[in-house]
Amino acid sequence: MDTIWLTGAEWLAVLRIGLGLWWLESWRHKDRKAWFQRGTGITWAAGIAAEHRWSAVRSGFETAVAPHPRVMAYVVVYAELALGLGLITGFLTPVALAGGFLLNALYFTLMIHEVAEQGQNAMMALMSLVGWFGMSWQTWSLDSALGLF
């Protein structure tokens, strides 16, 4: 494989780190006080799920998320932080890439009506797949330094 400036493995590490920075920014810009104390994030998602065109999304949200809004707020916010840190440092990278792909798939499905959200989540999911199949944890990662994976 011919590349410019960096090796192919280094470019995959750049992609992984960039995706991690994207997740970290998603965590950073959240108003955690509003999410945790007032439940704004889950309330917002509940409104979207309630009007969703697919009954599976409506019923899935009502079954899994609605009964536990406070817990789910913490899960969402801290999952984004964990994904960001894991991908930036390259620690448990395959787990972070798979988790990020699944979270983006859930976001994409919930926000099927929002073009901007679709684009962001589709691109982040694609980056996760490229990072996974390209084994982006081989370079510039704690996984590589520790001999994991």
Side-chain angles (χ1 to χ4, degrees):
M1 167 194 286
D2 292 329
T3 62
I4 298 172
W5 192 38
L6 301 173
T7 68
E10 289 169 339
W11 279 118
L12 286 169
V14 168
L15 181 73
R16 182 198 80 229
I17 293 165
L19 179 58
L21 289 169
W22 200 341
W23 278 117
L24 195 60
E25 175 58 19
S26 182
W27 170 81
R28 190 196 66 78
H29 84 264
K30 279 189 174 36
D31 182 346
R32 286 176 288 287
K33 185 175 181 180
W35 270 72
F36 299 150
Q37 293 178 2
R38 296 191 308 274
T40 57
I42 300 302
T43 301
W44 170 75
I48 293 168
E51 297 178 10
H52 206 281
R53 69 174 100 168
W54 298 333
S55 62
V57 172
R58 290 190 304 272
S59 62
F61 192 92
E62 286 300 315
T63 301
V65 180
H68 315 285
R70 188 174 174 92
V71 170
M72 294 309 293
Y74 279 92
V75 167
V76 168
V77 170
Y78 288 112
E80 290 181 358
L81 174 62
L83 290 169
L85 294 175
L87 292 170
I88 291 166
T89 63
F91 184 63
L92 300 177
T93 309
V95 175
L97 290 166
F101 176 82
L102 291 174
L103 193 54
N104 283 128
L106 286 170
Y107 289 173
F108 182 88
T109 303
L110 179 63
M111 300 301 296
I112 200 75
H113 306 297
E114 294 287 329
V115 175
E117 286 288 329
Q118 286 178 334
Q120 171 179 311
N121 288 297
M123 289 304 99
M124 290 176 81
L126 177 62
M127 291 169 74
S128 291
L129 287 176
V130 170
W132 173 271
F133 288 109
M135 298 171 52
S136 64
W137 53 88
Q138 295 178 76
T139 302
W140 301 341
S141 72
L142 289 175
D143 290 338
S144 178
L146 297 172
L148 301 175
F149 309 104

